[in-house]
Every structure is written in structure tokens, then in C-alpha cells.
Amino acid sequence: MNDIRQQQMDSPQVIVIGSGVGGGTVALQLARAGMRVLLLERGKALPDEPEPSDAEAVFVQNRYRTQEQWQDETGRRYRPGQYYYLGGHTKFYGTAMFRFRESDFAETQHEEAVSPAWPVSYAELESFYTQAEQIFGVRGAAGTDPTEPWRQADYAHAPVPHAPLIGRMAERLAGAGLHPFHMPAAVDYGPGGACTLCGTCDAFACRFGAKGDAETRLIRQLQAMPNVEIRTGVEVRRLLHDAQGRHITAVEVLRDGVLQHIEAPQVVLSAGAVNSALILLRSATDRCPDGLANRSGVVGRYLMNHHLTGLMGVLPFEINATPFPKTLSVNDFYGGISGDPMARGNIQMLGNIRGPMIRAAYPATPKPLANWLGRHSVDWLVMSEDPPLASNRVRLMPDGTPEVTWHPADLSAHDRFVRHVRRLLRRIGFPLVLRHSFGIEAPSHQCGTVRMGDDPATSAVNALCRAHDHPNLHVVDAGCFPSSAAVNPALTIAAQGLRVGAHLARSLGTSAAA
């Protein structure tokens, strides 16, 4: 094993940048095919300590958030909600694993913009969706979501059952004529499962290995493979190309304060939509003055992040002790509310909002009031598609600071949808419904900055995520998404990663044989 690992270290066939859902799925496909894979992750493994389950540490102290600074177009600087650890952002995600609807892959007209058609169809991704659900241990119930796309196989695991309070919410929604369904969730719950229903899942890291995150479900498999090496604490700065500006020849990394170059015949960039774009832009040369993969000028543009509004339904005379509330979702309004087809999207549960989370967002809130609201609320997430605009972008300032500009379209339509959902929640028993909007400072659903398409003049990568300008570079994360749909992106990233990884394994294997 040591000889194989040394051979791989000296001459990897593929460098994969990023250990999240995109990079992890590609690496797994390549490793299974016998390729020598070097996976680079800028973060390290999350420490095994109690604080990932402590709302005060996670939200008030921001113990796990990156220390780096971004800025908006006014020059205001802030610490973004970025988490750099082995497993990527999924260490802190809420386990939601939705398939995109079939209609999400077609051109979609919005109130103020158009989402273009994908160069990939649902049918091409369907088998990879199934594989991804199996890898991540997704639990769900097929046939209960009225907008669910066709599928050749049921979920391998039954859904996480509703807690009593959430079950009552489902009954009341059904009584209002809707079709609530069990949210597909990647969590190891049930007989013999690792989930202890500890109550800190969504927006927290799991200390028990029960969350279906990229580290638990992908990286641990890779760590056991002799043809894979994983290096943590390695920040990729730039990609280097040959004299013609076509082939990527090396990756420039910063590790322990020292710049190094690592060579490989193939490079897969999966650093997340914002950071993948920044790496490509930072790699600009005389041959590629606008950055790599950017002949079209789209790299860094078309940033999307979903319209996300949290609704806190307050129950003054009842305490919500539900440990895992993310079992319920509603898609009846995915095609619009009655009489207003542009006011549309998905409704799902948030994890329990706790007092420190409220004080982190609203510091002036008295601690007793924040804690009371946390105990007496049922918390919902209202999500609408964020259509792509070229003006929404990430770019590098002269001092190297990332600048993020995000002024999303369709805010009025989303607001009408939120107001409709607030009225619905009042109808099913919440006398008070508070709202909070999530902005780009928490880019948990970031996508679109390295968009894929068939035309090199309007896209950066093709349908298999290969850069139009560089035949040995693939960009595999949500940056390749031409549109954002209105459900969580993780499962679609995984499905596309498995698809690209399978293609790369076949093509590289054929090349090696030749």
C-alpha cells in the first residue's frame, strides 16, 4: 500500500480540488475505476469537540466560519458563511436531498428574467440520482410529492417519521387541501442507525457520523482506498497552463505558508461556485487575460443563491421539543399560487431555531425573549428560484479580496409567495408568524458562476463539465448550474458529479489502454 500511495503522490492521474459533494463524487468514481487520485482540501477535518452542537459557539461566536473577508460592491467587508472543512459545506447542511423537477431542466420564464434550459436532461441524470440517494443514505417516500419526477427505483430507506407536533402540521396542511410529504433527508436514522435525535442537525455539524455529509459518505470510502491520497490544509491558488494556454499543467497551492506546484494530466475543480470562479479568475495570464475557461466572459457571472425566507410560527402556549423537525415539505406551489403563477417555490421545515441564532441575527433581542421564541416556535423555510443575471457576480479586487455583487431578480414574486405562506400558517394555527430573509452573506446554495452549455460563446463548460477552452479541466460543483431551480442543490451536484466521474473514468481508461 505504501508503494502505491508513493506512486500516486509522485504522479497522480487526476487532481481533484475540493472534498465536498462535487469533488467527492467524481473522486469516488475515478478511484473505483483504479485511477490514481490526489484530492486537495483547503480545510482540515472538523475537530471532535462538543462545540459543533452548541448554538452559542456556532452562531454567536462563529467558531467554525471562515476568517476570510469578502466585500460587496460598496466596499463593505464581512465574514461570509463559508465553512472550509473536510466534506465541504455539507458538514453544516440540513440533510435535504431533493431531485430537481423535470421542468427545472427546461427554459423557465420568470417575472423579471429567464432561466435557460440545461444541456443535460432529467432522463440523463435519473440513474445517477438513484446512485446518489443510495450513497448518501437518503430516506424518503416516493409518490407523495405531487411534483416529483419519474423514478425507476424507490428510496432504499423509509422516511424519517414525523414527530407528533410536525405530524399535526402535516394533517392541518392536508386539511387545507395541500399535499405535504416527507422531505427526502440524508440521515442515518432508524434501527442500528447512528442518529441519536440530538436536536442539532440543520446548520450544525454532526458529532455522531449520522448526517449524510460528504465526509461521512464519500471521504471515508476514499480514505480506505490505496490509490487515493487526501491532503488537507492545502489552499489552491491558481491553475497553470502550457505555452499555448490550452492544457492545464499544474496546480499552484499554498500549504503551511509555502507555495508549491503539483502536476497531473487531469484536473477537476470542485471548490464551490464562488471559489471555483475565483480560482479560474486568479489564474489569468497573458494567454488567458480574463482567467481560465473564460473566453465567453461568463466565469464569475450569473451568481445565484435562491430566495430564502425563514418563517417562525409562534405557539404561545406550546413548547416545540421536536429534535428533528426537517421531515416535512410542501410543493403544491412549485408552479405558482392560485392566480399568480410567478409567486412560487418550495416550503420545508427549518431545524429548530434557538435563542442564540436569533441573537446572532438580531443582537438587540433580549436573551430571555430570544430563548422564549426558540422554545415556542415551529420554523419554516420558503424557497423560490433565483433566476440568473449576468450582473450578479463574483470577482477579485486588486488586493485579492473577493467582491460579491448580488441583486436578485423576482424579489416581488418571492415576497408574494412568502405572504401567501404566512397566511397559510396562520390558517393552520399560528397566531404570530415572524419572517427573516437570508442574503448572500450566507451563500449556502451558491451556484451558476461557471455555467455549462453547448455554446462556448455563452458558457464555460460543456454538458459533462469539461471546460470549452481546456480539454483536461473539468469544473464540477453547483457553479456549472445554468439555473437554480427551487429546491436544495446537493443531490443534483452529486448526481452530476457521479455522471462526470463515470465519463472521465471511461475516457481515461480508454486513453490508458490505447
Side-chain angles (χ1 to χ4, degrees):
M1 180 181 294
N2 289 336
D3 291 341
I4 294 175
R5 283 189 179 274
Q6 186 62 48
Q7 179 188 28
Q8 184 274 330
M9 185 185 300
D10 293 340
S11 57
Q13 292 171 284
V14 185
I15 293 174
V16 177
I17 301 165
S19 66
V21 173
T25 48
V26 174
L28 186 63
Q29 293 282 55
L30 294 172
R32 285 173 169 174
M35 301 289 112
R36 299 189 304 277
V37 178
L38 173 60
L39 190 149
L40 305 177
E41 168 55 51
R42 70 181 288 175
K44 298 188 177 181
L46 191 73
D48 183 11
E49 56 188 13
E51 283 82 1
S53 300
D54 181 356
E56 193 80 25
V58 173
F59 291 93
V60 178
Q61 300 171 12
N62 288 321
R63 182 182 179 92
Y64 301 100
R65 181 179 290 197
T66 179
Q67 294 291 330
E68 70 181 342
Q69 295 278 312
W70 292 359
Q71 70 177 46
D72 62 22
E73 70 274 19
T74 71
R76 179 184 65 88
R77 298 204 172 191
Y78 59 92
R79 283 174 64 191
Q82 293 279 106
Y83 298 95
Y84 299 133
Y85 293 98
L86 196 61
H89 268 273
T90 57
K91 294 305 296 180
F92 288 85
Y93 87 140
T95 77
M97 283 280 193
F98 288 88
R99 297 184 179 206
F100 279 11
R101 321 290 90 174
E102 285 186 86
S103 61
D104 292 328
F105 296 91
E107 181 178 290
T108 303
Q109 179 65 53
H110 298 276
E111 196 160 72
E112 300 175 6
V114 176
S115 289
W118 288 45
V120 179
S121 68
Y122 174 80
E124 291 173 279
L125 279 178
E126 198 280 332
S127 65
F128 297 105
Y129 271 128
T130 299
Q131 290 181 40
E133 288 167 347
Q134 293 169 348
I135 289 171
F136 284 90
V138 180
R139 297 173 178 272
T144 57
D145 174 358
T147 69
E148 182 181 28
W150 60 270
R151 51 189 302 140
Q152 297 187 60
D154 200 348
Y155 289 99
H157 307 284
V160 181
H162 295 315
L165 178 56
I166 307 304
R168 292 206 305 275
M169 296 301 107
E171 292 172 358
R172 292 177 185 178
L173 289 167
L178 303 179
H179 302 83
F181 61 95
H182 283 85
M183 190 192 82
V187 59
D188 188 16
Y189 175 81
C195 181
T196 64
L197 292 179
C198 67
T200 52
C201 192
D202 189 9
F204 294 89
C206 180
R207 297 187 61 209
F208 308 103
K211 183 186 290 189
D213 60 44
E215 182 190 19
T216 303
R217 293 292 179 162
L218 298 170
I219 302 305
R220 289 183 185 176
Q221 289 190 61
L222 293 168
Q223 287 171 328
M225 295 183 174
N227 55 321
V228 176
E229 183 191 358
I230 300 171
R231 297 182 191 173
T232 60
V234 179
E235 181 182 356
V236 172
R237 300 296 297 167
R238 298 187 300 151
L239 307 182
L240 309 179
H241 60 66
D242 61 13
Q244 292 72 41
R246 284 281 288 165
H247 286 80
I248 307 304
T249 58
V251 174
E252 181 181 273
V253 305
L254 184 65
R255 190 180 196 186
D256 297 328
V258 178
L259 281 176
Q260 305 170 0
H261 291 172
I262 308 172
E263 299 180 356
Q266 295 284 336
V267 175
V268 177
L269 177 58
S270 302
V274 169
N275 280 304
S276 285
L278 291 174
I279 289 169
L280 295 173
L281 294 172
R282 198 181 293 119
S283 303
T285 63
D286 291 341
R287 279 280 184 181
C288 303
D290 297 319
L292 299 186
N294 200 25
R295 178 176 20 141
S296 61
V298 303
V299 171
R301 293 187 179 272
Y302 298 104
L303 174 66
M304 297 169 279
N305 196 54
H306 281 148
H307 299 301
L308 299 171
T309 297
L311 294 180
M312 175 180 283
V314 179
L315 297 172
F317 306 108
E318 184 171 1
I319 290 177
N320 180 10
T322 303
F324 185 78
K326 287 186 70 70
T327 59
L328 176 63
S329 188
V330 175
N331 270 342
D332 290 81
F333 309 115
Y334 206 84
I337 63 178
S338 178
D340 190 354
M342 295 298 168
R344 59 196 182 203
N346 165 264
I347 307 168
Q348 61 184 263
M349 307 303 299
L350 278 169
N352 285 334
I353 300 298
R354 296 162 182 259
M357 301 179 187
I358 298 170
R359 289 189 289 109
Y362 302 98
T365 307
K367 187 173 182 179
L369 175 59
N371 291 341
W372 184 90
L373 287 170
R375 290 193 304 271
H376 289 270
S377 66
V378 179
D379 308 300
W380 309 74
L381 181 65
V382 184
M383 184 186 311
S384 300
E385 181 168 349
D386 176 18
L389 298 176
S391 56
N392 288 333
R393 64 184 300 191
V394 55
R395 61 176 181 164
L396 286 164
M397 294 292 95
D399 66 353
T401 301
E403 180 184 272
V404 177
T405 301
W406 189 62
H407 298 287
D410 274 27
L411 282 175
S412 177
H414 176 67
D415 184 65
R416 297 196 304 272
F417 180 38
V418 171
R419 285 188 275 120
H420 180 81
V421 177
R422 289 183 84 180
R423 290 192 295 268
L424 172 65
L425 293 180
R426 293 189 185 105
R427 283 172 54 199
I428 66 170
F430 295 97
L432 176 63
V433 182
L434 306 175
R435 67 179 287 177
H436 169 75
S437 295
F438 299 92
I440 197 63
E441 289 84 358
S444 53
H445 293 183
Q446 58 187 266
C447 56
T449 57
V450 194
R451 57 161 39 181
M452 62 178 167
D454 295 324
D455 186 355
T458 58
S459 59
V461 299
N462 68 12
L464 284 163
C465 294
R466 180 180 65 80
H468 294 303
D469 302 343
H470 312 287
N472 66 332
L473 171 65
H474 290 72
V475 184
V476 189
D477 51 36
C480 74
F481 286 15
S483 63
S484 63
V487 288
N488 310 59
L491 191 71
T492 300
I493 300 171
Q496 178 70 345
L498 291 170
R499 177 173 174 267
V500 173
H503 169 78
L504 262 177
R506 287 193 301 270
S507 62
L508 294 180
T510 301
S511 299

